[in-house]
Amino acid sequence: MKTFFASRRRLATAGLLLAGFAVLSSQQTAAPKKGLKDYYKDYFPVGVAVGRAQLQGPEAALIKQQFNSVTPENAMKMGPLHPEENRYFWADADAIVDFAQANKLRVRGHNLLWHEQTPRWLFKNADGSRVSKDVLLKRLHDHIFTVVKRYQGKIYAWDVVNEAIADNPQEFLRNSEWYQICGDEFIAKAFEYAHEADPKAQLFYNDYNTERPEKRERIFKLLKQLKDAKVPIDGVGLQGHWSLQEPTEPELRAALDQYASLGLKVQITELDVSIYPWEKDRRAKRPDESDAYTPELARQQAAQYKMFFRVFRDYKKVLTGVTFWNVSDKYSWLDTYPVAGRKNYPLLFDQNQQPKQAFWEVVQF
Ligand code: XIL
């Protein structure tokens, strides 16, 4: 009897072990063994945009496993970071930098000057009138010095100026309040202040639709002007808010070639691949619009990601970083932009932080 029970127990144990193995190996085929950062270690760091919400739980685990760089999604923009002239809100930005230091991740600072998410006080005097150019440049200087010096040695690169080129192809610089008050001078000044505050930080100009030939030419013109004027600029960030339709491979290659010809570093700073065609203007949601992530969309998206990363690998001498804008399809800024009420699925990980078909296309080479 004793031996009978003992062998039954052994059998049961063996059965349990086998079942355990089966579960484990099915998980292993679904879960990546390595991170994007490991697959791409001989190419470039792979980063991700984060907020405080992602610093805990399953998304934090995924960040640590997959990425070796982070960009604060909102925490370092002037509006959230500097809500009143004499008050900064450091908690969120500090938490991200601390998380990065604790986990040996690089940090890209984003951003020092933008026409969006600006604090209310910035362009106004106490009496509500518009500030002069001198006052605005002084405020810009003080902001940049305070922020860049606080994170000196912890932030290796800054998006200094974001999106200064106009959307309208007939215009050159965007007609923002920065431009209205300072003319084009604010751009060079921002780079000069940032360089003075931290001479070792790499300084970037960052923009979107950087592969569209007409905008590419205008961005190139601006970058060339800055280089010719010896403004301390190190690189250009291509945001990479792309879609199933664009950019095409020739457009992407032409853009990388043209920007690199100025001797600038190039980074992809905000990569995502929308399942909807590009639209900048907000519109009402059409009643017939489905936001399902169909197998066909997943296939097209995987093919698009595969092409992008094949090109990135070809340009490893030019590209010094590729950063995704958000961690997984659980949350993407594109869920509400430019249209609220439809879901987007633009990233390499699904809503449960599992790798999508696109992930495997990116890491198999
Ligand atoms: C977006 C954030 O993801 C959103 O949470 C926020 O509401 C608006 O800004 N280009 C940029 C980023 O440079 O800062 C933007 O981030 C996306 C477009």
Side-chain angles (χ1 to χ4, degrees):
M1 283 303 266
K2 220 173 167 188
T3 38
F4 174 75
F5 275 120
S7 64
R8 289 252 327 229
R9 255 203 313 273
R10 269 202 296 275
L11 265 178
T13 318
L16 270 178
L17 269 175
L18 268 178
F21 266 127
V23 170
L24 209 74
S25 61
S26 78
Q27 271 172 359
Q28 272 174 354
T29 47
K33 293 192 193 73
K34 298 196 284 183
L36 291 162
K37 64 178 164 46
D38 307 309
Y39 289 104
Y40 279 89
K41 70 174 185 333
D42 297 331
Y43 292 88
F44 35 73
V46 185
V48 64
V50 299
R52 238 182 143 165
Q54 282 89 43
L55 304 183
Q56 289 165 13
E59 284 171 307
L62 191 68
I63 293 168
K64 291 185 230 174
Q65 184 202 38
Q66 292 290 324
F67 302 98
N68 49 9
S69 175
V70 289
T71 303
E73 181 182 6
N74 288 301
M76 290 186 188
K77 293 170 181 171
M78 203 166 177
L81 188 63
H82 195 170
E84 290 166 41
E85 183 163 15
N86 295 313
R87 184 169 69 87
Y88 284 83
F89 173 74
W90 297 114
D92 291 358
D94 282 359
I96 293 168
V97 172
D98 289 349
F99 175 87
Q101 294 256 295
N103 295 293
K104 302 195 165 53
L105 311 170
R106 292 163 177 245
V107 185
R108 293 192 88 254
H110 177 82
N111 52 54
L112 296 173
L113 187 157
W114 193 22
H115 63 285
E116 286 187 26
Q117 291 181 276
T118 52
R120 265 169 216 264
W121 59 271
L122 179 63
F123 301 113
K124 291 196 172 84
N125 293 306
D127 64 5
S129 60
R130 192 171 251 202
V131 289
S132 66
K133 175 174 165 181
D134 285 351
V135 169
L136 187 56
L137 289 178
K138 168 88 169 62
R139 287 178 177 182
L140 178 66
H141 171 273
D142 293 352
H143 175 79
I144 289 181
F145 259 63
T146 307
V147 176
V148 171
K149 280 195 181 296
R150 183 180 185 90
Y151 299 117
Q152 191 165 8
K154 297 181 177 172
I155 290 190
Y156 83 101
W158 274 102
D159 289 328
V160 177
V161 175
N162 201 31
E163 306 180 350
I165 296 290
D167 283 326
N168 180 351
Q170 311 309 319
E171 293 164 15
F172 182 42
L173 295 179
R174 181 187 299 278
N175 189 21
S176 65
E177 281 164 291
W178 290 107
Y179 181 75
Q180 289 166 15
I181 298 170
C182 299
D184 59 8
E185 221 179 301
F186 71 91
I187 300 177
K189 288 285 181 214
F191 281 96
E192 281 159 19
Y193 300 154
H195 183 63
E196 232 184 292
D198 180 359
K200 290 207 177 118
Q202 297 174 23
L203 306 182
F204 282 75
Y205 173 75
N206 194 51
D207 212 332
Y208 59 90
N209 286 346
T210 44
E211 303 72 31
R212 291 191 178 173
E214 60 79 15
K215 187 158 175 189
R216 185 187 78 208
E217 294 300 339
R218 288 182 292 142
I219 294 172
F220 179 80
K221 179 175 155 190
L222 171 64
L223 296 172
K224 185 160 186 329
Q225 284 177 357
L226 295 173
K227 286 288 282 185
D228 289 348
K230 305 255 179 310
V231 171
I233 176 172
D234 300 290
V236 54
L238 318 187
Q239 290 186 0
H241 291 300
W242 294 337
S243 69
L244 303 180
Q245 291 76 25
E246 64 175 335
T248 64
E249 183 170 346
E251 282 169 350
L252 177 54
R253 287 181 184 272
L256 291 167
D257 286 336
Q258 191 172 358
Y259 298 127
S261 75
L262 287 169
L264 292 170
K265 296 181 189 2
V266 184
Q267 295 203 0
I268 310 297
T269 52
E270 306 183 12
L271 182 59
D272 47 23
V273 178
S274 172
I275 63 164
Y276 308 102
W278 169 269
E279 51 188 349
K280 180 86 168 96
D281 300 320
R282 287 162 202 278
R283 62 169 169 75
K285 190 184 168 194
R286 285 194 300 272
D288 63 336
E289 184 184 277
S290 159
D291 63 1
Y293 187 59
T294 62
E296 178 53 19
L297 287 172
R299 194 195 59 73
Q300 288 176 26
Q301 189 184 47
Q304 192 72 329
Y305 263 118
K306 180 183 173 139
M307 180 272 278
F308 292 150
F309 274 80
R310 180 163 45 73
V311 174
F312 296 166
R313 291 193 298 275
D314 285 351
Y315 281 82
K316 78 172 203 177
K317 293 217 169 71
V318 168
L319 277 179
T320 62
V322 173
T323 293
F324 288 84
W325 208 247
N326 302 128
V327 181
S328 75
D329 288 349
K330 181 178 164 198
Y331 158 70
S332 157
W333 75 296
L334 295 173
D335 292 341
T336 50
Y337 184 89
V339 186
R342 69 177 190 191
K343 176 84 189 128
N344 211 324
Y345 306 85
L347 299 161
L348 296 186
F349 299 93
D350 69 15
Q351 296 186 71
N352 300 309
Q353 281 82 54
Q354 298 303 308
K356 293 161 53 176
Q357 192 184 340
F359 173 90
W360 297 110
E361 295 291 2
V362 160
V363 300
Q364 275 157 19
F365 56 90

